Amino acid sequence: MMKIFKGDLPDDLEIKGEVAIDTEAMGLKPHRDRLCLVQMATQDQRVFAVQFVDDKFKAPNLVRILNDPKILKIFHYARFDVTTMTHYLKDLQIKNIFCTKIASYLARTYTDRHGLKNLVKELLNIEMDKTAQTSYWGADTLTEKQKEYAASDVLHLCRLKEILVKRLKREERYELALDCFKFLPTQAKVDLLFAEETDIFAYQLGKNN
């Protein structure tokens, strides 16, 4: 069962090693769609979340954990999660990131299916229910279906990371993946600066632009 804290994590909550993280928002545009939930799962399967029910995003205990360079933060599609949290959480300087989506692109070049549901199905043989994904996350009280969905989005990430690390190393792409992960906080700042108006890194191979 996922425990939900309003506004911030408790002062005495400690995390060591690594933690899986996901976010839920009102949409996919951080400037427009506010952050509603940051859910987390530890290696020992503790699952909890911080829920933001108003426009107050002062969460120093959450930020402390996110900023801790000794803790590995595991995401799926970290570009969105990091960008959204960077926009809303003051003093966020997140480091030490692992993104299972980027890892999947680098390690699973035999497929174009890199969504979390596909990844969990292939690597863990688990079917995920994603029906609550597009529900109303801005509600003061979340439904049991939303809680189950939010928890499922982080519960599998630590195991996925272990499998993907082995594949990346086997294909000699692990160091490349680490370089991609290190760039994610900078990518988030660029995305926020241009507000999705343009992708300054966009180009097509083989074309003289």
Side-chain angles (χ1 to χ4, degrees):
M1 179 63 68
M2 182 174 69
K3 186 175 180 64
I4 296 180
F5 302 100
K6 301 284 187 177
D8 197 9
L9 296 173
D11 294 339
D12 59 352
L13 192 147
E14 292 187 6
I15 296 175
K16 296 182 179 180
E18 61 186 42
V19 62
I21 305 173
D22 189 32
T23 64
E24 305 300 339
M26 292 292 290
L28 299 178
K29 298 181 182 295
H31 289 88
R32 182 194 66 188
D33 304 318
R34 72 175 177 86
L35 175 65
C36 299
L37 195 74
V38 177
Q39 62 265 42
M40 314 172 84
T42 59
Q43 288 176 290
D44 57 0
Q45 299 292 278
R46 288 181 293 150
V47 186
F48 42 88
V50 176
Q51 184 183 19
F52 300 99
V53 294
D54 50 32
D55 293 331
K56 297 178 181 178
F57 294 95
K58 295 181 179 179
N61 292 326
L62 173 61
V63 171
R64 171 177 52 82
I65 289 173
L66 293 172
N67 286 355
D68 190 337
K70 296 180 182 178
I71 300 174
L72 177 66
K73 277 71 69 171
I74 306 169
F75 298 88
H76 186 80
Y77 195 24
R79 181 175 180 177
F80 172 78
D81 296 319
V82 173
T83 300
T84 301
M85 291 192 297
T86 298
H87 182 64
Y88 286 97
L89 298 178
K90 184 180 179 181
D91 300 323
L92 185 66
Q93 298 291 331
I94 189 169
K95 295 180 180 178
N96 199 5
I97 297 169
F98 189 100
C99 177
T100 56
K101 191 179 186 77
I102 291 175
S104 177
Y105 270 103
L106 292 173
R108 299 171 65 246
T109 52
Y110 50 83
T111 181
D112 61 355
R113 296 184 177 184
H114 302 286
L116 182 59
K117 183 175 182 178
N118 297 114
L119 203 55
V120 169
K121 174 59 178 176
E122 179 186 329
L123 302 187
L124 303 179
N125 197 29
I126 296 173
E127 288 282 359
M128 292 184 68
D129 182 358
K130 304 286 281 187
T131 55
Q133 184 176 27
T134 55
S135 59
Y136 177 51
W137 291 98
D140 289 347
T141 301
L142 299 180
T143 66
E144 290 303 313
K145 195 75 172 178
Q146 286 177 311
K147 293 177 184 178
E148 291 174 6
Y149 168 80
S152 70
D153 259 13
V154 289
L155 273 172
H156 308 302
L157 293 183
C158 290
R159 292 173 61 196
L160 289 177
K161 188 266 298 183
E162 293 177 2
I163 296 172
L164 289 167
V165 165
K166 291 179 181 178
R167 292 197 179 188
L168 288 167
K169 290 182 176 179
R170 185 186 305 144
E171 303 304 322
E172 298 183 349
R173 295 171 186 165
Y174 181 62
E175 296 300 325
L176 178 60
L178 293 181
D179 286 339
C180 292
F181 303 153
K182 290 177 183 176
F183 182 69
L184 283 165
T186 300
Q187 179 72 75
K189 293 177 183 177
V190 171
D191 287 344
L192 289 171
L193 178 64
F194 287 95
E196 300 181 359
E197 294 175 2
T198 185
D199 184 350
I200 66 172
F201 302 105
Y203 68 96
Q204 288 183 288
L205 291 174
K207 287 193 175 183
N208 183 8
N209 294 321

